[in-house]
Amino acid sequence: SLAPKSVEITDLTEVLAQLEVHGPGAVSALVALGAAEEDLPAPGTWKILELDALRCIVSGTSEAGGRGFRLCFDGEHADELWDLLLETEPLYPAGAGTLEALRMEAGTLQFGKELLPDELVPQNGFPGGIRPDLMREFPGCVALRAAEKRSIVAGIRFGGRQVLRSGTPVRDASGSELGRITTCALLPGVNHAAALFVTLPGVVPAAGTAVLAGEDAAPLPGEVAELTSCFC
């Protein structure tokens, strides 16, 4: 760890902009702007690259199921980089809701949503997140080894296209609460809505279990689904 006097933190939120590029054309789009394909960061890593002479922090991601990139750069050039990206075929503009739909179709979980901020990874049931038997010594490893799994992340398949808000309660047929929705999106690939939800501690609903999501007056029916691609 570093002594406080050795670290200086500057909040650059107001002066930086962020764009994300996902899909089959992500690599070719950045190459078209001057990046060498072999220099593009792998998922979970980052590099500082120049895209059309604009210096960017480029992070590799895979949350949409394929290779993608998160670009962080001087906000004064946001319009310029946006236009350059749209000139590289076949990219199209899309909002955060589209990324959520792609993430859902890929069955990708996200920190800050499916992983609750006040819980450790093992407590939240993240599949394949931590192997305590392979864990090396580091600050906090004792707490991770001792953490007991308390919740799991499960999926819900809805029959219609209605999307529910994060935090919406999920109940079984008897009215008992099972957990709360963390992410919900319309999946264009299968033309129905789906959701991820974190269960209450100790609750493990089986795939195919009928559930009701939403307020008591007009709950939305669905069924628990495995965390597989598209919730097909």
Side-chain angles (χ1 to χ4, degrees):
S1 61
L2 299 174
K5 64 181 180 180
S6 303
V7 179
E8 182 177 340
I9 299 176
T10 303
D11 186 357
L12 299 176
T13 304
E14 297 299 324
V15 298
L16 294 180
Q18 178 176 295
L19 291 173
E20 299 197 21
V21 184
H22 295 273
V27 171
S28 59
L30 268 58
V31 170
L33 294 183
E37 184 171 349
E38 60 270 20
D39 289 338
L40 295 177
T45 67
W46 62 274
K47 291 183 178 180
I48 295 179
L49 302 175
E50 287 195 357
L51 301 178
D52 199 60
L54 178 61
R55 188 177 174 88
C56 300
I57 300 173
V58 182
S59 303
T61 73
S62 59
E63 59 189 294
R67 199 171 180 190
F69 304 97
R70 184 172 294 114
L71 315 177
C72 190
F73 54 95
D74 188 337
E76 292 185 359
H77 301 285
D79 290 344
E80 175 187 348
L81 186 55
W82 174 268
D83 291 339
L84 287 171
L85 285 170
L86 293 184
E87 291 173 3
T88 62
E89 295 291 340
L91 291 190
Y92 298 94
T98 302
L99 179 57
E100 285 289 75
L102 292 173
R103 184 172 73 84
M104 290 285 297
E105 289 191 342
T108 307
L109 309 182
Q110 189 175 78
F111 288 89
K113 291 190 175 181
E114 284 71 54
L115 177 59
L116 304 180
D118 57 345
E119 289 190 339
L120 301 173
V121 172
Q123 295 175 320
N124 208 221
F126 248 47
I130 285 183
R131 286 282 304 277
D133 55 316
L134 300 179
M135 195 182 297
R136 294 181 294 177
E137 296 297 323
F138 63 92
C141 67
V142 174
L144 285 177
R145 289 195 184 104
E148 296 182 0
K149 186 174 178 179
R150 300 192 303 196
S151 301
I152 67 168
V153 180
I156 304 176
R157 181 193 301 109
F158 296 111
R161 297 163 56 90
Q162 183 177 342
V163 175
L164 299 174
R165 293 178 180 273
S166 174
T168 298
V170 178
R171 298 180 173 86
D172 62 17
S174 68
S176 298
E177 184 171 337
L178 302 177
R180 298 265 169 168
I181 287 177
T182 54
T183 305
C184 187
L186 173 64
L187 309 186
V190 290
N191 199 33
H192 64 68
L196 297 174
F197 76 104
V198 174
T199 67
L200 295 176
V203 175
V204 185
T209 300
V211 296
L212 296 171
E215 301 303 325
D216 295 334
L220 190 65
E223 66 176 28
V224 176
E226 299 284 352
L227 295 182
T228 54
S229 180
C230 298
F231 295 95
C232 297

